[in-house]
Structures are given as structure tokens and as C-alpha cells.
Amino acid sequence: MLIEKQLNQDLENRENEFITKSFSIIAIVISISAMLQGLGIIGDNILNGVQALIVLIIYLRISSFKKFNILYLTAIFFSFVIALINLAPYMFSA
């Protein structure tokens, strides 16, 4: 019983550590891409696409640990589809 409780605690600690690292990665990517946009190295369309893609990837990784919510994934998927159908990369948003 004690070993099972310890294993569950270790798994929960790993999940929390991964989620914290994931949000740190999002913050770093957004700040670096915003700085590059401010310097004029990348455009708004690329900035929006990169941010949306990073958020989608991290959401999928976090959902592998937590309960997978198909409604959120559907909303994200449709926002990508709408931007692709309109051929408007500025519609990508994190």
C-alpha cells in the first residue's frame, strides 16, 4: 500500500514537473519570437503560426498525462482549418 502510494506520488511529481517545463518553454518561445518580430527579423504571420503550433504541441503532450478533452482539441483543429482554408496565416493565434 505504501509503495503504491509512493509510486503515485512520484508519477504526479513527474507530471507536474513536465507541465511546469512545458509552460516555461511556451514563455521562452513567445518572448524570443516577439523579440525577433520587434527587430523585424520575422513577420506577424510567422510569429502567430509558431506560437499556435507550440501551444498545440504542448497541449497534446500535457493531455497525454491528464484526461484528454476532445472538445478543446476540436476547437484548436477548427481554428487551424479556418486559417488554412482562408489562406490567411494571420488568423493563427495561440
Side-chain angles (χ1 to χ4, degrees):
M1 185 71 155
L2 182 63
I3 294 173
E4 183 180 328
K5 185 177 179 182
Q6 227 174 4
L7 288 174
N8 288 337
Q9 184 68 30
D10 287 342
L11 182 61
E12 186 176 322
N13 288 340
R14 282 190 219 148
E15 290 174 3
N16 291 337
E17 182 180 337
F18 178 76
I19 291 171
T20 302
K21 286 181 181 179
S22 298
F23 286 120
S24 298
I25 289 171
I26 289 175
I28 290 169
V29 166
I30 289 175
S31 63
I32 289 174
S33 58
M35 183 179 64
L36 292 176
Q37 182 207 16
L39 294 172
I41 296 174
I42 61 173
D44 292 336
N45 296 337
I46 295 172
L47 174 70
N48 291 341
V50 167
Q51 290 176 356
L53 193 61
I54 292 296
V55 169
L56 175 65
I57 290 169
I58 290 183
Y59 175 75
L60 291 174
R61 287 290 294 154
I62 290 173
S63 65
S64 67
F65 289 116
K66 301 293 182 182
K67 186 178 175 185
F68 192 74
N69 192 338
I70 194 71
L71 182 63
Y72 291 147
L73 187 60
T74 305
I76 292 170
F77 175 74
F78 280 124
S79 69
F80 275 95
V81 168
I82 289 170
L84 292 175
I85 288 174
N86 291 327
L87 296 175
Y90 61 85
M91 293 179 77
F92 286 118
S93 176

